[in-house]
Amino acid sequence: MGRLNQKVALITGVSSGIGAAAAKLFAAEGAAVFGVDCHTEAGEALEEELRQLGLSFHFFACDVANSSAARDIVSNCGQTYGRVDILYNNAGISTVEAFTSVSQSSLERIMAVNFMATFYLCQQVIPVMKQQGGGVIINTASELAFVAQPLFTAYCASKGAVLAFTRSLALEYAADNIRINALCPGPIDTPMLNAEFNADSDPVKARTESIATIPIGRLGRPEEIAQVALFLASDAPQLMHGASLLVDGGKTIV
């Protein structure tokens, strides 16, 4: 018996990295996964891969930053699987910019994807979960919601917002049997992190210096974050409401 048997999991940002790893793991653990991403080709390839394995996965192409996206996503998930037991707000973007160079459009885009999409998806899914008698929400924050990093002011602001939002929301809906927690990854070897390294004048040096700040001496792997997300999505952590789970190889304790 899988840990997510007979559950429906809505996961955003499934085309690569942590989202793809989580979609595979959740499906393997018995969930019917409704995967959302704006990268259609990669999402459809993942759908084909999982269906070939006999797993339940439906891909929905959508840009989560669109103002009406949350309503469409939750509605389509309900039409496809009949319910939503787990919402994993994983989609995210980053930019590497000096503070004075951050444009209005850049700031609005990063807040839209990293925070506003999370806010609106929760707003759409909570009434569904209340009607069902409960559910689980996992919001992706970051180690950078706790510690600072130059050239990431907009990103830090967006993830700090996710963290504060998660705590408030968890308090508001704890009595409704809806568990809401924040998952806070450190540096994980994903296309997004590699793009950040490549934005540096010396990408190899940037990667080496990043690894040097991590006590375990390596970057995290997407599958390792997916395992923590699985724990949060399962029935095991019944007492966890409004928690902020740092998974960073010890980086923030240095």
Side-chain angles (χ1 to χ4, degrees):
M1 295 288 288
R3 282 173 282 184
L4 301 182
N5 256 23
Q6 299 182 331
K7 305 278 183 151
V8 174
L10 195 170
I11 306 175
T12 64
V14 296
S15 70
S16 65
I18 295 168
K24 293 174 183 179
L25 181 60
F26 281 31
E29 288 287 341
V33 178
F34 188 87
V36 180
D37 205 290
C38 62
H39 298 289
T40 303
E41 187 175 343
E44 290 177 346
L46 179 63
E47 181 176 57
E48 178 63 22
E49 176 187 346
L50 294 183
R51 288 189 174 181
Q52 286 290 331
L53 294 172
L55 301 176
S56 181
F57 179 87
H58 178 84
F59 175 68
F60 184 67
C62 183
D63 184 345
V64 296
N66 185 290
S67 59
S68 63
R71 183 174 59 253
D72 292 342
I73 289 167
V74 174
S75 174
N76 275 274
C77 184
Q79 289 170 20
T80 302
Y81 290 124
R83 57 188 295 117
V84 186
D85 300 292
I86 301 155
L87 169 62
Y88 181 9
N89 283 306
N90 165 77
I93 59 172
S94 66
T95 57
V96 184
E97 298 177 278
F99 172 65
T100 53
S101 298
V102 178
S103 67
Q104 179 177 339
S105 61
S106 179
L107 176 61
E108 289 176 351
R109 176 67 181 172
I110 202 166
M111 291 300 292
V113 176
N114 292 358
F115 173 62
M116 300 300 287
T118 294
F119 186 102
Y120 287 128
L121 276 164
C122 287
Q123 199 170 53
Q124 290 294 318
V125 87
I126 280 176
V128 176
M129 289 181 172
K130 284 184 69 175
Q131 188 175 38
Q132 293 170 178
V136 175
I137 297 174
I138 306 165
N139 292 332
T140 300
S142 168
E143 54 151 341
L144 294 186
F146 295 88
V147 297
Q149 186 165 322
L151 307 180
F152 283 82
T153 50
Y155 183 82
C156 288
S158 70
K159 293 302 185 178
V162 169
L163 203 57
F165 166 67
T166 299
R167 289 169 174 163
S168 178
L169 200 66
L171 190 61
E172 190 164 344
Y173 290 100
D176 293 297
N177 193 35
I178 301 175
R179 282 189 290 111
I180 306 168
N181 295 290
L183 179 51
C184 308
I188 308 300
D189 199 357
T190 61
M192 188 174 84
L193 182 63
N194 286 315
E196 293 171 9
F197 292 150
N198 290 333
D200 193 272
S201 59
D202 188 339
V204 174
K205 182 182 177 184
R207 185 183 182 92
T208 301
E209 288 179 346
S210 178
I211 292 172
T213 67
I214 306 170
I216 64 171
R218 65 171 176 83
L219 299 173
R221 296 186 292 272
E223 293 77 14
E224 292 173 311
I225 302 300
Q227 287 286 349
V228 180
L230 173 62
F231 166 72
L232 289 174
S234 74
D235 293 332
Q238 291 295 320
L239 285 179
M240 291 185 70
H241 289 260
S244 307
L245 213 52
L246 272 163
V247 189
D248 63 356
K251 184 180 177 184
T252 54
I253 61 174
V254 175

